[in-house]
Amino acid sequence: ISNLAQDQTNNISNIIVLVVASIVAANLNPTVYIVVMLTLIPSFYYQIKYGSEKWHIWAENSPRQREYSTIRSHAMGRVSVVQVKLLQAKDIILKKIRDILIAFRQDQLKVDTARLWSLSLSDFVVASGFAYSFYLIVQDVNSGLVGIGELVFLVSVLGQFIGAMNSFLSGLAGQYEEGLFAIDIFNFLD
C-alpha cells in the first residue's frame, strides 16, 4: 500500500513535466508530438501486462504460498526444530521448501523473460519513433521552417517529454500492479 501511495506521488510530478513538455512539443510540431505519443503505447501495454502476470503468480498460487509459509515456520521455531530432529524429517522439509521455491522461481523467470523481450521490442519502437521524429525536425530545418536553435530546443523538449511519459506510464503500470496486491489486502480486511 505504501508503494501504491509512493507511485501516486511520483506520478503527480511526472504529470506536471508532461503537461509543460506536451504544450511546448505540440505547439512546435504537432506531427512529431503525435508520433512520439503513439510509439509509447506498446511500452505501457507490456508494463501493464507484466504487472498483471506477476500478481497472478503470487495470487493464483496462494495454496503453494501457504504450504511454504507453514513449512518454513515449522522449520524455524525452537519446538518445531526439535520435532524435526526427533522425526528425522529435515531432508523431507528442505526438499519441500526447495521444490516450492524452484516452482516460484520458474514461474517468475518465464514472466521476466517474456517481459524482457516485450520491453526490448517496445523500447525499439520508442527509439524508432524518436528517430523518425528527429528526421521530421531535420527536414523542417532543411526546408527553412525551423532554425537550428529551435531544433536543439525541440529535441531537448522531446527527450524530456519521452522520459516523463515513460516515467508516468511506468508509474501507472506500477500503480496497477500494486493496486492488485492492495485489493487482496482490503478484501482480507473486509
Side-chain angles (χ1 to χ4, degrees):
I1 293 175
S2 64
N3 290 346
L4 180 62
Q6 184 178 3
D7 285 344
Q8 288 173 339
T9 304
N10 290 341
N11 271 347
I12 291 171
S13 64
N14 287 330
I15 288 172
I16 293 168
V17 172
L18 267 175
V19 168
V20 172
S22 291
I23 291 170
V24 172
N27 283 332
L28 289 175
N29 194 327
T31 305
V32 168
Y33 175 74
I34 291 169
V35 167
V36 169
M37 286 291 293
L38 291 176
T39 60
L40 291 169
I41 293 171
S43 175
F44 178 63
Y45 169 76
Y46 288 124
Q47 288 179 25
I48 290 287
K49 181 179 175 186
Y50 170 74
S52 176
E53 288 177 1
K54 184 177 175 184
W55 175 79
H56 281 293
I57 288 173
W58 295 98
E60 288 180 352
N61 293 313
S62 52
R64 187 167 59 180
Q65 274 187 304
R66 282 193 297 274
E67 181 182 13
Y68 170 73
S69 183
T70 301
I71 293 170
R72 184 173 181 258
S73 66
H74 188 72
M76 294 180 73
R78 188 170 30 132
V79 173
S80 301
V81 170
V82 171
Q83 289 174 351
V84 168
K85 282 287 219 183
L86 287 173
L87 297 172
Q88 298 177 353
K90 175 188 78 154
D91 294 334
I92 294 169
I93 288 177
L94 289 177
K95 182 184 179 329
K96 281 188 178 246
I97 289 174
R98 191 176 305 114
D99 291 345
I100 291 170
L101 290 176
I102 287 171
F104 269 119
R105 188 182 77 202
Q106 287 172 342
D107 291 347
Q108 189 72 40
L109 187 61
K110 273 190 254 178
V111 170
D112 286 342
T113 302
R115 178 180 184 237
L116 174 68
W117 287 106
S118 300
L119 290 180
S120 296
L121 176 65
S122 65
D123 286 347
F124 176 75
V125 170
V126 170
S128 298
F130 187 76
Y132 181 67
S133 299
F134 187 73
Y135 170 77
L136 292 175
I137 295 168
V138 169
Q139 292 293 41
D140 286 348
V141 170
N142 285 338
S143 66
L145 296 172
V146 174
I148 297 294
E150 287 176 289
L151 167 82
V152 171
F153 178 69
L154 186 55
V155 168
S156 173
V157 167
L158 283 177
Q160 288 178 344
F161 174 75
I162 289 172
M165 185 58 101
N166 269 333
S167 293
F168 176 71
L169 294 177
S170 294
L172 281 180
Q175 284 180 294
Y176 174 73
E177 181 181 340
E178 297 297 337
L180 291 173
F181 287 102
I183 287 170
D184 287 344
I185 291 170
F186 288 125
N187 286 339
F188 174 76
L189 291 175
D190 286 345

